Amino acid sequence: MGKKVNWSWSSAVIGAAAATAAATLINAKPKDPTFHLISVSLTSFKLKFPVLDAELVLTVHVTNPNITPIKYSSSTMSIFYDGSLLGSAPVKAGSQPSRSCQLLHIPARLDGLELAHHAAKFFADVAKREMVLDAKVDIEGAAKVLWWDHKFKVHVDSHVTVDPVFLDVIDQENTSQLEVLPA
């Protein structure tokens, strides 16, 4: 009728362990984090006659899709308008759990004198209620897997359109590139 098959627990355990290891390797492949600018809030103006410097708070939603928690060092985000450096925002060192999201509140300072050099374009942008800003930041850190720290570097480019009157975020395109550094 049928052939008798010898079944062993050791073969089943080895097969299950191999399947688990394969699934872990597939999930462990580093994934790029995502960044999304939620809001821009004006906190103050500082008069430096004849121009005003502006201080803002950028609220950024960050997602770590990886299976390991990360720690990252402080960095500085550069903010550009019409191809010129308009300001900067210090990103404080921190950490983020695995597969999680968090909101970062990043203070930024915009140089009124630099904006004055682009006054004609700025007033045209105010009139049409659309101002395009670009931002770049490199963040370095480490992801801990078991007892080893795997160093990484993330480069983020953001292209954001805001309403310069109400500071609403109209549109944005954010790209990030994760590079795992050799040990």
Side-chain angles (χ1 to χ4, degrees), residues 67-101:
I67 63 171
T68 60
I70 60 168
K71 289 184 180 179
Y72 52 91
S73 60
S74 60
S75 186
T76 302
M77 178 188 309
S78 300
I79 302 168
F80 299 90
Y81 177 64
D82 199 27
S84 298
L85 182 63
L86 180 60
S88 63
V91 179
K92 293 181 184 176
S95 63
Q96 187 163 348
S98 63
R99 294 188 175 155
S100 67
C101 314

Side-chain angles (χ1 to χ4, degrees), residues 34-153:
T34 59
F35 301 86
H36 188 78
L37 180 63
I38 302 296
S39 67
V40 178
S41 305
L42 181 66
T43 56
S44 73
F45 281 120
K46 296 204 178 184
L47 180 60
K48 285 169 114 177
F49 193 76
V51 294
L52 293 171
D53 285 346
E55 291 184 0
L56 310 166
V57 173
L58 309 173
T59 303
V60 179
H61 182 262
V62 182
T63 302
N64 174 13
N66 295 294
I67 63 171
T68 60
I70 60 168
K71 289 184 180 179
Y72 52 91
S73 60
S74 60
S75 186
T76 302
M77 178 188 309
S78 300
I79 302 168
F80 299 90
Y81 177 64
D82 199 27
S84 298
L85 182 63
L86 180 60
S88 63
V91 179
K92 293 181 184 176
S95 63
Q96 187 163 348
S98 63
R99 294 188 175 155
S100 67
C101 314
Q102 69 182 20
L103 290 178
L104 299 180
H105 301 282
I106 304 171
R109 174 173 281 164
L110 302 182
D111 182 359
L113 184 59
E114 186 59 44
L115 192 57
H117 291 298
H118 302 277
K121 178 158 178 39
F122 176 69
F123 288 120
D125 287 348
V126 169
K128 69 178 179 179
R129 307 252 326 252
E130 282 189 8
M131 180 178 184
V132 176
L133 298 171
D134 292 302
K136 297 180 185 303
V137 65
D138 289 313
I139 300 172
E140 294 186 14
K144 191 161 193 101
V145 178
L146 298 175
W147 48 86
W148 292 292
D149 281 342
H150 295 277
K151 296 188 182 304
F152 66 85
K153 181 177 175 181

Side-chain angles (χ1 to χ4, degrees), residues 148-164:
W148 292 292
D149 281 342
H150 295 277
K151 296 188 182 304
F152 66 85
K153 181 177 175 181
V154 176
H155 176 79
V156 182
D157 286 312
S158 296
H159 184 77
V160 181
T161 304
V162 297
D163 177 343

